[in-house]
Amino acid sequence: AWTKAMNDVVIAIMVEKKGAMENLEEILSVKGVDMVQFGPGDYSITIGKPGQRQDPEVQKAERDMIELALKKGVNPRVEIASFEQAKPYVEMGVHHFCIGTDLRVIYGWCQQQAAGMQKLLASV
């Protein structure tokens, strides 16, 4: 049962450090690694550009990670804020997404509902 459980579990690695990108080929070659995800916020810190998630160097590292993962047969997972942001990743071959941070999505939905209720009740 333990062996089956271990074979059924998904092993995902978060690539957040410059050192991980420098050793990505080796990381992706480890038997059993199923998925990788890029962490632009933490990565930007390790290259001396804290908070610059959209910096061209950070964006290139994410693309490089995705391309190498796909080449090595490891599924890349990408965090996006909305489905509209998925298109360029889908075109690259990505099929696994986290669409927004759960709390951010729920918070936005709650704000929309509250605004709608305020508007509705103000007209009564």
Side-chain angles (χ1 to χ4, degrees):
W2 175 258
T3 302
K4 181 176 178 352
M6 292 302 99
N7 286 333
D8 290 345
V9 74
V10 173
I11 304 295
I13 295 176
M14 190 74 167
V15 177
E16 298 178 310
K17 301 199 181 323
K18 181 180 179 185
M21 282 302 297
E22 292 169 349
N23 295 291
L24 190 59
E25 179 103 27
E26 292 83 5
I27 291 168
L28 295 173
S29 297
V30 172
K31 186 177 179 343
V33 173
D34 300 303
M35 184 174 283
V36 288
Q37 179 171 322
F38 189 74
D42 289 329
Y43 182 77
S44 71
I45 293 168
T46 69
I47 63 167
K49 298 179 178 184
Q52 297 180 48
R53 300 167 58 109
Q54 301 303 317
D55 182 85
E57 184 179 357
V58 174
Q59 296 296 302
K60 181 182 182 318
E62 180 183 38
R63 282 189 309 277
D64 291 348
M65 187 213 71
I66 291 168
E67 289 170 359
L68 185 56
L70 290 167
K71 179 180 171 188
K72 300 286 269 174
V74 176
N75 292 304
R77 178 178 183 259
V78 177
E79 285 190 13
I80 54 176
S82 66
F83 78 92
E84 293 94 347
Q85 293 175 334
K87 187 175 183 194
Y89 295 108
V90 170
E91 290 171 349
M92 289 178 75
V94 176
H95 296 126
H96 300 278
F97 296 92
C98 174
I99 303 177
T101 305
D102 294 343
L103 293 177
R104 194 175 341 140
V105 171
I106 293 168
Y107 177 71
W109 183 85
C110 290
Q111 284 185 311
Q112 281 183 323
Q113 301 313 305
M117 286 302 295
Q118 286 176 334
K119 186 176 179 181
L120 176 65
L121 294 172
S123 66
V124 177

